[in-house]
Amino acid sequence: GPSHNTADKLKDYDNAIKYYSEALELNPDNAIYYSNRSLAYLRTECYGYALADATRALEIDKNYVKGYYRRATSNMALGKFKAALKDYETVVRVRPNDKDAKMKYQECNKIVKQKAFERAIASDELKKSVVDSLDIENMMIEDDYTGPKLEDGKVTLKFMKELMAWFKDQKKLHRKCAYQILVQVKEVLSKLPSLVEITLKEKITICGDTHGQYYDLLNIFELNGLPSPTNPYLFNGDFVDRGSFSVEVIFTLFGFKLLYPDSFHLLRGNHETDNMNQMYGFEGEVKAKYTAQMFQLFSEVFQWLPLAQCINSKVLVMHGGLFSEDGVTLDDIRKIDRNRQPPDSGPMCDLLWSDPQPQNGRSISKRGVSCQFGPDVTERFLSENKLQYIVRSHEVKSEGYEVTHSGKCITVFSAPNYCDQMGNKGAYIHLRGSDLKPEFHQFSAVPHPNVKPMAYANTLLQLGMM
C-alpha cells in the first residue's frame, strides 16, 4: 500500500550511517557502532564498506559474534563464499548450541561445494552457443495458448501491445516466441559496436535502472509515450534482478529493440552478468518461468549488450561511470572486446561498476568493485575527449536523479520505491538535440501484484542477519 512509500528508507539508512560515523569519531573503539554501521551499509549495497566495518569491529573485539555474521554477509554479497564460510565456522565453534548459526554454516557450505562443482563442469565443456541445440522451428504452440505470437516470426507493434497487456495480467509468453526474440536480439546486438554513437535531431528519453519492476516500466510508457522512431529511448542497464518481474521487463525491452533497432537503445549494467543474476533473482526467475537452458541463452545475449553510448559527440552515457586510471579515450571504449563476463578490473569493469564521489581524486569503492571518482577525474576525462557531461545510473537516489561534479555527472535511476522498501522516486531524462540540456521528469511507484522476488540474495542476507 501507499503507507510505506511515505517513509524514505534510503534517508533512514543514510542518517544511520551519519549517526554511527559521528559516534565513531567520538568513540573509535566501539565494535558495536562499527557493526551497526556495517548493517546500514549492507542495506544500501555498499558491500565494500560493510566488509571493512565488520572487519574493524572484529579487530577491536575478536569475540564479538555479531561481527562475524556481518562480515560473512558482506563476503557473501561480494560472492566470496569461502571467506564467509570461515566466519560461520568460527561462530559455530564459539556457540556449538546455536541452531541458527549451524543452519547458516550448512547453507554456506552447500553453496561453496556447488560453486566448486560448477567450476569443474564449466572447464570441461567447450563454449557452444545454446542456439545450436535449439530447434525453434519445430517447437509447437499448443491450441490452448491464446497469448501473443510473432507475425511471420517478426515483432510488430500489435505484438508488443498484446505482449504488454498479457504480461500485465501475469501471463507467460510462449517459450517458442521467447526463444525467437532472444535469438533475433542476439543477432542485432552482436552487430553493434561496444560504444554506440548516435546523432540526435529531436529528443531522446534516457531511463536508469528498472530492476524487474515491470509495472513501473509500463508507467514510464504511460507517462512518456510508447517507444517509436519519433519517441526514442535509451535504457541504461540493470533491467533485471531484485524486482519480481525481470522476465517481463527484459522481453518487453528486447521486443522494442527488435521493433525499432535504430531508435530504441539498451546498454549493459552490472546486473546483466552471470554472478549477479545468480545472486539477485534473475536466474531463479527464468528457471521458474522457463528453463535453465533459456537462462544460458540470456547470458549469451547479455554479453553482446553495448557498454556505452555517445550522443552528438557531446554526452557519454554508461551504467556505472568513469575509470580507475586517467587517459582512457573513446577509442579505448570502442576497442573493448565485450562479449564475455566482465573482468574484476579495467575499463569494462569500471563502465559497469564505478561511482562518483564529491571529493577530488579516486578512492576504493564502497561496493568492493571498481572505484569512486571525483570531479577532477570527470573534468579531465571530458576535456580530453571533448565531451560536455556524462549520464550514468547504478545508484538509487531519493529524487530519482542527482546532478553532481558541477553539472558534469548526472545520475538517473528509474526504479521507484526500489526493492519495495526504499521509498525513492524514479526519474527519466529528456535530451534535445538542439541544446543537449537535460530535463528531469520524476515519477512515483505504482502498485504491482504481490510476488516475492526469487533472489538467492534474500536468503543470503537472511543468512548473515541475526
Side-chain angles (χ1 to χ4, degrees), residues 81-251:
F81 300 107
K82 279 191 180 137
L85 189 61
K86 257 177 64 177
D87 281 341
Y88 288 135
E89 272 165 6
T90 306
V91 176
V92 171
R93 213 174 40 248
V94 177
R95 295 189 169 173
N97 300 326
D98 183 336
K99 283 197 188 61
D100 190 47
K102 190 172 235 138
M103 188 274 292
K104 287 171 179 171
Y105 169 75
Q106 287 163 345
E107 279 289 310
C108 186
N109 200 19
K110 210 163 75 188
I111 293 166
V112 169
K113 288 204 164 84
Q114 192 189 339
K115 289 272 176 207
F117 177 66
E118 283 167 6
R119 270 198 305 277
I121 308 180
S123 56
D124 291 348
E125 50 179 279
L126 281 162
K127 273 294 176 214
K128 283 233 304 275
S129 170
V130 169
V131 180
D132 302 334
S133 59
L134 290 173
D135 182 6
I136 300 176
E137 283 307 298
N138 290 316
M139 283 181 191
M140 288 298 297
I141 297 187
E142 301 73 13
D143 291 340
D144 60 3
Y145 174 76
T146 58
K149 296 178 194 153
L150 276 69
E151 300 174 36
D152 294 326
K154 292 274 182 283
V155 169
T156 60
L157 182 56
K158 177 172 169 289
F159 169 84
M160 286 309 299
K161 287 179 176 169
E162 285 175 18
L163 181 68
M164 289 188 288
W166 186 251
F167 279 161
K168 193 177 177 182
D169 287 343
Q170 288 181 269
K171 296 194 173 99
K172 204 168 80 175
L173 177 65
H174 193 280
R175 68 190 181 105
K176 176 169 185 163
C177 309
Y179 274 123
Q180 286 173 308
I181 288 174
L182 288 173
V183 169
Q184 291 177 31
V185 93
K186 182 182 176 186
E187 176 76 359
V188 168
L189 294 175
S190 66
K191 294 195 161 71
L192 295 173
S194 289
L195 171 64
V196 174
E197 298 173 76
I198 64 163
T199 305
L200 183 63
K201 302 219 171 18
E202 298 298 315
K203 66 157 191 181
I204 193 169
T205 302
I206 304 175
C207 300
D209 303 28
T210 43
H211 276 303
Q213 297 186 199
Y214 181 65
Y215 295 81
D216 294 310
L217 175 65
L218 290 182
N219 187 38
I220 291 173
F221 292 150
E222 194 75 20
L223 297 168
N224 192 59
L226 284 180
S228 75
T230 55
N231 192 22
Y233 279 84
L234 164 51
F235 280 84
N236 195 22
D238 283 14
F239 321 122
V240 301
D241 283 337
R242 300 215 175 260
S244 307
F245 308 98
S246 295
V247 162
E248 290 75 11
V249 167
I250 196 65
F251 278 128

